[in-house]
């Protein structure tokens, strides 16, 4: 049946479709960046142009499905269906399956050079570990499924919010979201902090002090292959794309051991470079330190020959309060000094304002405005202070598998796309 509607000079049509086929259509249309109605229109047109019907599609459990088509296409389609002696539902299912078959899922776009992102701030307690984990999870999510993402204009709207807006208005303002396919990248999370927070939060075990570790490899005293230390995180949700290099408490001694190493600023790169071919992105959760380990991390995130600006670099995590600003100045001074001393380029990928809650009043809102006013680096993420992250940590599960529809998860996906 059809009924008149005004949607770009199209008419609304209503039929039935099995749920699995409707979901496949929704995902594939999003992967190709087109509207569902455009995909259905193309499928019907191609199916009608065939000499005969295609293979029968299982339509058991079909329920209501509606879309908008060009005027006259539905009636012409009904005539072809009748001529081929198949049901209307079967004809529509074959048309959509034909479109899916001729428009396969696009390949995941992989960087030519493994991206290296150091997540840092000299101040502890700002949530670097949570951002490292959440960003890595968002980069590794399933590309053949749809996930809720905070759209860019919603982030921009939040960042434009003035400190004069009422707390109730900000608290009740709903997120504007859309459903997008996962990015499907191969991601390695490196726990570079001797406190082992990232390791513990993701349910892995810190490496034993008497065994091998990243510290040993950086100090030139490896006890095996670094690959043997890598563990996979939640294969059920990330299908083997998300890995972790756990930390060891021996990293407390890293600066002392690096002091005796030649070209110590390149020690992290020498250790991790053999792993790079296995990953699209390597995220390093840096310690709250301004020592030699931070120099090594900054050097690792430098722009390499042939690499585009903004592919690798430093992602700085802050909170909307004054002490974060002091720590930010210390960190950027150290990175800038390293750039000048070694004549290298270390790109700032942006600032993530974490654990934000406008209900905390003027300190929070005015501090947020201060971060926005910096402009370079710009604010690329605004992550709210919500209970789901704390619960995920308690449960030792990735946030995006524990609470995939939470506001924090939605914000992490937005962050991943801002720096992708």
């Amino acid at each position: 049946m059809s009924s008149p509607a005004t949607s770009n000079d199209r008419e609304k049509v209503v039929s039935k479709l099995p749920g699995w086929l409707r979901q496949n259509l929704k995902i594939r249309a999003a992967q190709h960046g087109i509207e569902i109605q455009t995909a259905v229109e193309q499928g019907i047109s191609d199916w009608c142009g065939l000499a005969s019907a295609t293979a029968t599609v299982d339509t058991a459990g079909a329920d209501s499905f509606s879309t908008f088509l060009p005027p006259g296409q539905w009636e012409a389609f009904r005539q072809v269906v009748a001529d081929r002696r198949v049901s209307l539902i079967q004809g529509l299912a074959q048309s959509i399956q034909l479109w899916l078959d001729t428009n396969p899922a696009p390949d995941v776009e992989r960087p030519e050079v493994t991206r290296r992102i150091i997540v840092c701030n000299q101040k502890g307690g700002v949530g670097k570990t949570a951002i490292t984990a959440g960003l890595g999870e968002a980069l590794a999510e399933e590309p053949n499924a749809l996930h809720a993402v905070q759209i860019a204009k919603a982030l921009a709207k939040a960042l434009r919010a003035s400190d004069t807006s009422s707390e109730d208005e900000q608290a009740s303002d709903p997120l504007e979201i859309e459903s997008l396919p996962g990015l499907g990248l191969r991601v390695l999370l490196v726990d570079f902090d001797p406190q082992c927070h990232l390791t513990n939060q993701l349910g892995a075990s810190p490496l034993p002090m008497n065994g091998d570790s990243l510290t040993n490899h950086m100090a030139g005293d490896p006890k095996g292959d670094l690959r043997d230390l890598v563990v996979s995180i939640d294969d059920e949700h990330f299908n083997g794309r998300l890995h972790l290099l756990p930390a060891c408490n021996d990293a407390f001694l890293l600066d002392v051991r690096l002091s005796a190493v030649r070209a110590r600023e390149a020690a992290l790169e020498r250790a991790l470079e053999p792993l790079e071919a296995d990953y699209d992105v390597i995220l390093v959760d840096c310690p709250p330190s301004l020592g030699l380990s931070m120099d090594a991390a900054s050097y690792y995130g430098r722009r390499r020959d042939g690499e585009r600006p903004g592919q690798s670099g430093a992602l700085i995590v802050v909170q909307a309060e004054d002490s974060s600003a002091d720590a930010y100045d210390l960190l950027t001074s150290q990175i800038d000094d390293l750039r000048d001393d070694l004549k290298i380029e270390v790109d700032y990928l942006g600032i993530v304002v974490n654990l934000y809650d406008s209900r905390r009043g003027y300190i929070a809102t005015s501090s947020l405005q201060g971060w926005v006013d910096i402009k370079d680096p710009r604010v690329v993420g605004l992550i709210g202070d919500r209970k789901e992250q704390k619960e995920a940590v308690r449960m030792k599960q990735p946030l995006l598998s524990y609470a995939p529809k939470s506001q924090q998860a939605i914000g992490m996906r937005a962050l991943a796309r801002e720096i992708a």
Side-chain angles (χ1 to χ4, degrees):
M1 58 177 289
S2 64
S3 58
T6 57
S7 175
N8 298 324
D9 297 324
R10 289 172 174 255
E11 63 177 359
K12 183 178 181 180
V13 299
V14 179
S15 184
K16 288 187 175 182
L17 205 64
W20 65 268
L21 187 56
R22 183 169 58 248
Q23 183 67 8
N24 289 348
L25 170 64
K26 185 178 180 180
I27 293 171
R28 192 68 53 81
Q31 289 174 329
H32 286 277
I34 66 174
E35 294 184 357
I36 290 176
Q37 62 186 20
T38 302
V40 176
E41 175 189 346
Q42 293 175 354
I44 289 177
S45 178
D46 291 344
W47 187 81
C48 289
L50 297 176
S52 62
T54 55
T56 300
V57 176
D58 182 4
T59 59
D63 55 16
S64 181
F65 172 77
S66 63
T67 188
F68 292 88
L69 296 176
Q73 186 184 41
W74 187 247
E75 289 304 319
F77 171 63
R78 290 170 64 97
Q79 184 59 54
V80 175
V81 165
D83 292 343
R84 292 178 179 173
R85 302 192 179 199
V86 297
S87 68
L88 191 61
I89 297 172
Q90 181 62 216
L92 180 60
Q94 290 184 21
S95 299
I96 291 174
Q97 187 61 57
L98 176 62
W99 184 83
L100 291 170
D101 292 342
T102 54
N103 292 272
D107 293 332
V108 172
E109 186 175 347
R110 305 194 182 281
E112 294 182 6
V113 178
T114 299
R115 299 183 64 190
R116 302 156 325 281
I117 300 174
I118 59 170
V119 184
C120 51
N121 194 334
Q122 182 269 340
K123 183 179 184 297
V126 296
K128 295 186 296 293
T129 297
I131 296 301
T132 303
L135 174 58
E137 294 159 25
L139 290 169
E141 273 192 312
E142 176 57 50
N144 293 313
L146 298 180
H147 312 276
V149 181
Q150 181 178 347
I151 59 179
K153 68 179 181 180
L155 174 60
K157 181 179 179 181
L159 296 180
R160 288 196 304 268
S162 69
D163 56 3
T164 58
S165 60
S166 75
E167 295 177 3
D168 289 341
E169 287 175 348
Q170 293 189 42
S172 63
D173 188 26
L175 286 173
E176 298 178 68
I177 63 174
E178 60 182 335
S179 295
L180 295 175
L183 298 174
L185 298 176
R186 301 166 300 179
V187 178
L188 174 65
L189 305 174
V190 177
D191 193 347
F192 196 41
D193 188 340
Q195 299 173 94
C196 306
H197 290 322
L198 180 62
T199 301
N200 290 323
Q201 287 185 17
L202 292 176
S205 298
L207 299 171
M209 288 285 288
N210 59 352
D212 202 7
S213 67
L214 177 59
T215 298
N216 288 336
H217 284 257
M218 291 180 65
D221 186 26
K223 298 182 180 180
D225 191 330
L226 198 62
R227 285 185 180 85
D228 294 338
L229 305 181
V230 173
V231 297
S232 188
I233 300 298
D234 198 350
D235 285 346
E236 180 181 348
H237 287 88
F238 301 103
N239 199 24
R241 288 182 296 270
L242 183 63
H243 292 171
L244 168 72
L245 178 57
C248 177
N249 293 136
D250 68 356
F252 279 115
L253 304 173
L254 179 59
D255 280 9
V256 174
R257 297 182 68 178
L258 284 181
S259 64
V261 174
R262 297 183 61 183
R264 54 182 175 261
E265 70 279 353
L268 182 60
E269 179 163 282
R270 287 195 297 268
L272 294 179
E273 195 169 25
L275 305 184
E276 290 179 5
D278 298 331
Y279 300 99
D280 302 308
V281 185
I282 295 179
L283 288 161
V284 180
D285 183 25
C286 296
S289 166
L290 294 179
L292 297 178
S293 56
M294 191 62 225
D295 280 345
S298 300
Y299 185 85
Y300 185 59
R302 79 192 187 285
R303 190 193 312 165
R304 293 178 179 172
D305 292 342
E307 191 172 21
R308 292 189 292 109
Q311 286 292 286
S312 297
L315 184 68
I316 303 176
V317 182
V318 301
Q319 288 185 15
E321 39 78 35
D322 295 339
S323 61
S324 280
D326 297 335
Y328 169 83
D329 290 337
L330 291 171
L331 173 66
T332 53
S333 293
Q334 178 176 356
I335 293 177
D336 291 344
D337 287 345
L338 187 72
R339 294 161 82 179
D340 294 339
D341 292 344
L342 299 180
K343 308 303 180 189
I344 59 176
E345 292 292 337
V346 181
D347 295 325
Y348 291 112
L349 304 182
I351 296 171
V352 180
V353 182
N354 192 31
L355 300 174
Y356 179 71
D357 188 347
S358 63
R359 293 173 296 179
R360 291 176 181 151
Y362 175 73
I363 293 296
T365 55
S366 61
S367 294
L368 173 61
Q369 189 59 52
W371 293 118
V372 173
D373 290 343
I374 291 177
K375 305 298 184 187
D376 185 18
R378 66 188 180 92
V379 173
V380 293
L382 181 64
I383 307 298
D385 187 3
R386 298 288 187 270
K387 65 182 178 65
E388 287 83 4
Q389 176 63 53
K390 298 180 180 67
E391 292 173 351
V393 170
R394 174 64 64 86
M395 299 300 294
K396 297 186 181 299
Q397 293 181 20
L399 170 67
L400 271 66
S401 55
Y402 174 78
K405 296 181 180 179
S406 65
Q407 291 187 11
Q408 286 171 319
I410 291 170
M412 294 294 185
R413 296 187 187 105
L415 171 61
R417 285 161 173 79
E418 280 291 316
I419 67 170

